[in-house]
Structures are given as structure tokens and as C-alpha cells.
Amino acid sequence: WGKQKKKNRWFNKVTHSFNSRLVKNESDAFVPNMVLLVGILLPTLFFYCMWHTATYGFSITLCFVYHLLRIGPYFMNFAYVYTLCHKEGHSLSLFKNGPWNVITKNVFNWWIGLFFGVFPSSFAYGHSINHHRYNNGPLDVISTADKPRDNVKAFVCYLIRFFLYAINISTVYQFYKEKQYKVALKMVWGTLYFLIWAFIWLKAVGPLATVFYVFYPMAENVILLACVAWCWHAFLDPSDPEDEYVGAVTIFNGPINVLNEDFHVVHHQYPGIHWENNPKTFEKHMKSGDYQSHLATCFKDTHAFELFFVIILRNYEMMTDKFVDLSKTLTREQTKELIKTRLRVCWWGPRANLNIKLEQKEIGNYEDPLHKKKAN
């Protein structure tokens, strides 16, 4: 993997000058190379597998090799594709305007995502409009805040909620209730788009291959992204569940910090800013004392998947080891109790164990028009 990373860096360096002319931000000069890898080479392999299946029948070995190459070493292809679907969903396109934009605009959500089980429009509308408006609150369709997060059974139940989000059902219903009919229709079109894709392969290669090549990545998408969502929003402040500094996780020195996703508080405060600016924005709030005064939920030397398993398996000792007390006032036992409390607070639903007045800060990101209206 180390040798592969060096090769990737070399190729990105060689192509940087040309690629930087295509993208909005020079730091995204690697993105055209990703499009080449997972938008051209991977689909070519997929079409070969479909041809082989139609000609010789389904091969479980070929299918296994395909998915192994698709996911990449240490799940890195998976990680970058979903992160770029996420970033593209917030920016509409990572590429500059030009003749190539006919193809590259929304290429991750509407083309590459098909090979990774992404329903088009789930990131662009469901995630960016619903999740980032309600920030894990009662109207957030992937909210984790009604269940104790240090509980395996609660997570298994949560998978149903995340599945309904991933296939656009819960988001369409929520947008319909809010009378955002145009957005709901866009979500419906995204669902139909994916189902048409699946139907084409159902007719071409039959149900077995369609399940393993088309629907398996969707199941992978649901399970792995549900783990990530559970981790990012596992903690709540019992005195203020709308506090984004506690309600979103920040990770320092993470070994898998893909495009600065580990600054998750910053992302919720400023979802539209470029990923390159996340560390600077974090430093701005650190210098103003925001993270310290809120006793933000921060960990070090970990990553989202490790933290997820540590949480649901209730490894409080490991969490205490990795927790960063920015106030520098807590003992080890106090830190452990703080972690337990924040994991078990339920904001809403039948398990709600709070009796405080909320201030509607769930509309909390600084770029949301409703947040600006409140501030004025």
C-alpha cells in the first residue's frame, strides 16, 4: 500500500499542471485522475464482467476480484468516492465551467456512484438539504439522537432508518411534508435513474449477477455509511443537545483523514466551504475559545470506523485514552463519565431523557438562510 501511495502521488504530481486547469480549486487537481480511475477504468471492468456473465455465466471469483479492485486497498477507493460524492453534493460540481462540464458535472453522484450503490440525488439533496439543515435533530431523517449510541441493538435498528434514506424514501417523504415539491421530484428522479440502471442489467445478465454487481454495493453503502454517520453524531450535550461542538466529532491526527472530513464540526458549520479550508476554520474557532468553552467532542489518533466499533462495543477505556480534553480540567474518571453521558443522552423520541427548552439551533450551520435570519 505504501508503494501504491507513492505511485499515486507521482501520477498526481505529473498531471497536476494540466488537471488544475479543469477544476475550480487547484487542490482538487487529483479529481480528474479519480474520474479516470473510477469513472472510466472501473466501468470498463464492470462492462467486461457483464459481458463475461452474459457469455459464460456468473462467476463468483470474477465478481470477488471486481469488488476487491473497486473498493481498493484499505477501502481507499470507497472512501474517496463517497467523500467526493459528498463534496460534489455540496458544490454541485468540482469542475470549472467548460465543454467538459457536460460530462463532469455531478459525475460522482450520477455516474461513478452507480458502481458504489449511490442513489443519485441522495447526497445532492437528501444529505445537503435535510441533514445539514436539521443537524441530527428530530427532523433529520438520519438522526442518531433518539437512541443510545453505545448499543449494538440500537445501531442495528438504525440501519433501517439509514436504508430508507439511502434509497431516497424517507427524504422524499420529508420534503413532501415540508412542501418542497421540486426537491422531492428531483429525489424521485434520482431513485428512478438507479432503478432503470438496475433493470437494464437485470434484463441483460439476470437476477443473480444484478444482485451481486448492482445491489451488493448498495448494501455496502448502507452499512458502511451508517457506521460513519453513527460515529460522527454519537455524542450529545445533555444540557444543550443542539450544541454542534459536542454533537459532531472532531479527530486530531487521524490516519484516514480523507479530504479533512475529520473536522466534522467545521463541516456542519460551513458545509459549503472547500475542504482545504477546514483546518484554518477550525483554528479560527480554537483561537476564539469556542471548542474549549463548549468542551468539544474531540479524539486523537483514530478514525471513524475504529471509533464506531469502540463506541458500540462500549470500550470506554480506549475512548478515554483517545479523548482530548481541551479544557484541561477533567480527571480520567470524569472524562469517562462524560463520554458515557454524551453517548446515552436521547434528544427526542420514546427514549428522550431531556426536559429542557430547545432554541432551534438544529438549524445550525452558518450558511443556512434560516440561521442568518435568526441571527438578524
Side-chain angles (χ1 to χ4, degrees):
W1 171 235
K3 291 181 180 179
Q4 186 61 47
K5 285 176 70 176
K6 289 180 180 179
K7 290 179 182 178
N8 292 348
R9 290 194 191 104
W10 173 83
F11 190 71
N12 286 336
K13 185 177 180 181
V14 169
T15 58
H16 181 88
S17 178
F18 176 78
N19 288 352
S20 60
R21 303 173 197 170
L22 305 177
V23 292
K24 292 177 180 178
N25 191 295
E26 188 177 349
S27 299
D28 293 330
F30 73 94
V31 172
N33 296 336
M34 279 295 297
V35 173
L36 173 64
L37 175 65
V38 293
I40 297 176
L41 296 181
L42 178 66
T44 300
L45 178 60
F46 175 87
F47 293 135
Y48 168 77
C49 292
M50 294 295 100
W51 171 82
H52 187 279
T53 300
T55 306
Y56 302 107
F58 178 73
S59 167
I60 192 66
T61 303
L62 180 62
C63 184
F64 175 79
V65 171
Y66 166 76
H67 286 304
L68 194 66
L69 295 173
R70 178 181 62 85
I71 292 171
Y74 289 91
F75 288 78
M76 281 296 101
N77 289 350
F78 170 92
Y80 271 91
V81 166
Y82 280 105
T83 302
L84 288 168
C85 281
H86 182 199
K87 301 302 183 188
E88 184 184 78
H90 284 292
S91 65
L92 299 181
S93 177
L94 301 169
F95 290 83
K96 291 178 181 176
N97 290 329
W100 55 82
N101 225 12
V102 175
I103 298 173
T104 58
K105 186 177 182 180
N106 296 321
V107 67
F108 282 93
N109 283 283
W110 291 82
W111 173 242
I112 295 169
L114 292 174
F115 304 94
F116 290 82
V118 175
F119 272 51
S121 73
S122 64
F123 277 104
Y125 304 110
H127 175 84
S128 60
I129 296 178
N130 177 268
H131 177 59
H132 277 276
R133 168 158 286 181
Y134 298 119
N135 285 317
N136 207 35
L139 297 180
D140 183 349
V141 298
I142 54 169
S143 174
T144 64
D146 63 326
K147 297 173 173 61
R149 275 75 62 197
D150 58 345
N151 186 295
V152 175
K153 183 179 178 181
F155 174 72
V156 172
C157 294
Y158 177 74
L159 285 172
I160 299 171
R161 178 178 298 165
F162 203 90
F163 172 72
L164 294 175
Y165 155 79
I167 61 174
N168 295 340
I169 288 179
S170 57
T171 37
V172 167
Y173 178 67
Q174 183 66 24
F175 289 135
Y176 178 81
K177 284 203 305 181
E178 295 175 353
K179 299 183 180 181
Q180 298 191 58
Y181 301 125
K182 289 184 179 179
V183 179
L185 284 173
K186 289 177 180 178
M187 297 290 295
V188 170
W189 165 234
T191 301
L192 291 174
Y193 186 91
F194 187 91
L195 293 178
I196 290 169
W197 168 257
F199 182 76
I200 290 170
W201 297 113
L202 180 64
K203 287 294 186 181
V205 296
L208 183 62
T210 302
V211 166
F212 276 93
Y213 281 103
V214 178
F215 288 108
Y216 164 73
M218 186 187 73
E220 174 189 90
N221 158 22
V222 170
I223 294 171
L224 295 181
L225 290 192
C227 293
V228 173
W230 192 263
C231 169
W232 286 142
H233 298 289
F235 301 87
L236 289 173
D237 183 346
S239 62
D240 182 7
E242 298 165 322
D243 185 343
E244 64 266 25
Y245 290 97
V246 175
V249 168
T250 299
I251 297 176
F252 303 135
N253 302 319
I256 311 178
N257 180 19
V258 179
L259 304 187
N260 289 325
E261 288 284 278
D262 286 357
F263 295 97
H264 207 67
V265 172
V266 171
H267 176 61
H268 269 266
Q269 291 173 326
Y270 308 94
I273 68 170
H274 191 266
W275 60 267
E276 182 185 38
N277 296 319
N278 285 2
K280 295 177 184 177
T281 309
F282 164 77
E283 288 296 337
K284 180 185 78 171
H285 285 278
M286 273 289 286
K287 288 178 180 178
S288 65
D290 293 334
Y291 281 79
Q292 297 89 330
S293 62
H294 288 261
L295 193 49
T297 303
C298 301
F299 293 89
K300 63 181 179 181
D301 305 325
T302 186
H303 55 82
F305 285 110
E306 179 183 62
L307 190 55
F308 163 76
F309 283 106
V310 170
I311 289 168
I312 66 167
L313 297 177
R314 299 184 177 182
N315 190 338
Y316 305 116
E317 294 297 332
M318 187 172 177
M319 276 188 275
T320 303
D321 289 339
K322 293 181 178 291
F323 187 84
V324 179
D325 174 18
L326 295 175
S327 73
K328 299 180 181 179
T329 61
L330 300 178
T331 66
R332 182 175 180 83
E333 283 305 311
Q334 287 173 329
T335 300
K336 191 189 299 184
E337 287 305 311
L338 179 73
I339 289 169
K340 288 181 181 179
T341 300
R342 289 182 173 184
L343 285 172
R344 295 171 181 177
V345 168
C346 292
W347 177 351
W348 60 277
R351 302 176 189 85
N353 47 19
L354 296 175
N355 186 24
I356 60 174
K357 183 180 179 181
L358 301 177
E359 300 176 17
Q360 293 187 326
K361 286 185 293 184
E362 72 273 8
I363 306 175
N365 77 68
Y366 295 156
E367 296 172 338
D368 193 294
L370 292 182
H371 185 283
K372 293 176 181 178
K373 184 177 178 181
K374 285 193 303 174
N376 294 331

